[in-house]
Amino acid sequence: DAGVIQSPRHEVTEMGQEVTLRCKPISGHNSLFWYRQTMMRGLELLIYFNNNVPIDDSGMPEDRFSAKMPNASFSTLKIQPSEPRDSAVYFCASGTSGIVGELFFGEGSRLTVL
Amino acid sequence: AQRVTQPEKLLSVFKGAPVELKCNYSYSGSPELFWYVQYSRQRLQLLLRHISRESIKGFTADLNKGETSFHLKKPFAQEEDSAMYYCALSSGSARQLTFGSGTQLTVLP
C-alpha cells in the first residue's frame, strides 16, 4: 500500500482563487482527518470523517473552507476564496475507528497564497 | 475542552546526553496519550502510545496523571533522533487527536 496519498504536493496561488486539495486514504480505513500545520499554531484539526460522514468540523476556520468525502477512497478540502493567511501545510490522515490514536499521515500539501 | 501543551518549540542536546521533551495536557476524563515524530522529509508517524508502555528507538514516556504530564525521554540521544516531536491526546469518546504545537529536537554531534 502506498499509504495516504495527497495532491497536489505544492500549490502556489493568488489571493481570491479557489484551491482544492485531494486525499486518498489507506484502503480499509474508515476514519479520515484533515489537519493544518503552521509554525505558530502547530497541527490543528480541521475536520474529521467517519464512514464518509463528517463528525466534527468545529476546526474549520470559516465558511471559506469546505470538505467532502463522497466515498471511502476520496476526500477533498476546498478553500474559496483563498487568502494569504491560509498558507500552510495541509495534512490528510486516515485510521481505523476501532484503534484509537493511530493515524497514518500523507506527505502533506504545501499551500502558498500570494 | 482538551488541550496539549509542549512548552519548548526548540530543544538542542549533544549526542549521548539525556533528552526530555515535555508534554502537559488538560482533560477532565481518562485520556490516551501519544507521541508522534516527523523526521526530515518523512511523514508524520506514530512513535509510541502510553497504553503500550513500550520503548521505541530507546524512547519511553510515562503518563503522570497527578501532574497531567506525558514527557518523552531518552537516556542517550543520537543524531538520528533529530526531528519534530508532537504530543497528542485522544479523549475516550472522540477518535480525533489533539496535538501539541510540537518540539523541534536537534541532536548535535
Side-chain angles (χ1 to χ4, degrees), chain A residues 8-63:
Chain A
R9 292 290 311 282
H10 301 274
E11 174 93 6
V12 180
T13 190
E14 293 189 345
M15 183 173 63
Q17 296 299 305
E18 177 179 295
V19 173
T20 299
L21 307 178
R22 298 172 179 80
C23 175
K24 182 181 187 304
I26 291 174
S27 177
H29 284 182
N30 63 344
S31 297
L32 185 138
F33 306 81
W34 282 99
Y35 283 89
R36 178 170 66 177
Q37 183 186 46
T38 60
M39 287 292 292
M40 293 300 297
R41 303 170 71 97
L43 273 169
E44 302 173 276
L45 176 67
L46 299 177
I47 188 169
Y48 154 49
F49 292 87
N50 193 48
N51 294 323
N52 313 338
V53 176
I55 303 298
D56 183 356
D57 65 354
S58 59
M60 296 285 263
E62 49 201 88
D63 291 345

Side-chain angles (χ1 to χ4, degrees), chain B:
Chain B
Q2 53 198 56
R3 186 180 179 87
V4 178
T5 302
Q6 293 181 250
E8 304 144 325
K9 279 198 176 295
L10 302 171
L11 181 64
S12 295
V13 299
F14 285 101
K15 177 182 173 181
V19 62
E20 180 179 69
L21 292 88
K22 292 183 168 50
C23 172
N24 289 90
Y25 67 90
S26 62
Y27 179 63
S28 56
S30 293
E32 295 188 49
L33 277 298
F34 307 83
W35 277 99
Y36 274 75
V37 61
Q38 187 174 25
Y39 300 102
S40 179
R41 300 188 187 87
Q42 293 189 28
R43 301 176 187 225
L44 188 61
Q45 58 188 288
L46 177 65
L47 179 63
L48 56 79
R49 65 193 84 194
H50 90 269
I51 282 182
S52 302
R53 302 182 69 82
E54 57 201 343
S55 173
I56 302 293
K57 299 184 179 183
F59 284 98
T60 59
D62 291 320
L63 178 60
N64 186 323
K65 291 187 177 180
E67 296 183 356
T68 60
S69 68
F70 187 57
H71 303 328
L72 183 68
K73 301 177 183 180
K74 185 170 182 177
F76 307 103
Q78 302 299 314
E79 290 182 68
E80 56 266 29
D81 296 328
S82 295
M84 177 70 88
Y85 291 81
Y86 288 96
C87 182
L89 176 154
S90 179
S91 64
S93 58
R95 289 294 184 247
Q96 65 265 39
L97 289 175
T98 298
F99 285 87
S101 55
T103 298
Q104 178 67 50
L105 172 66
T106 301
V107 180
L108 304 167

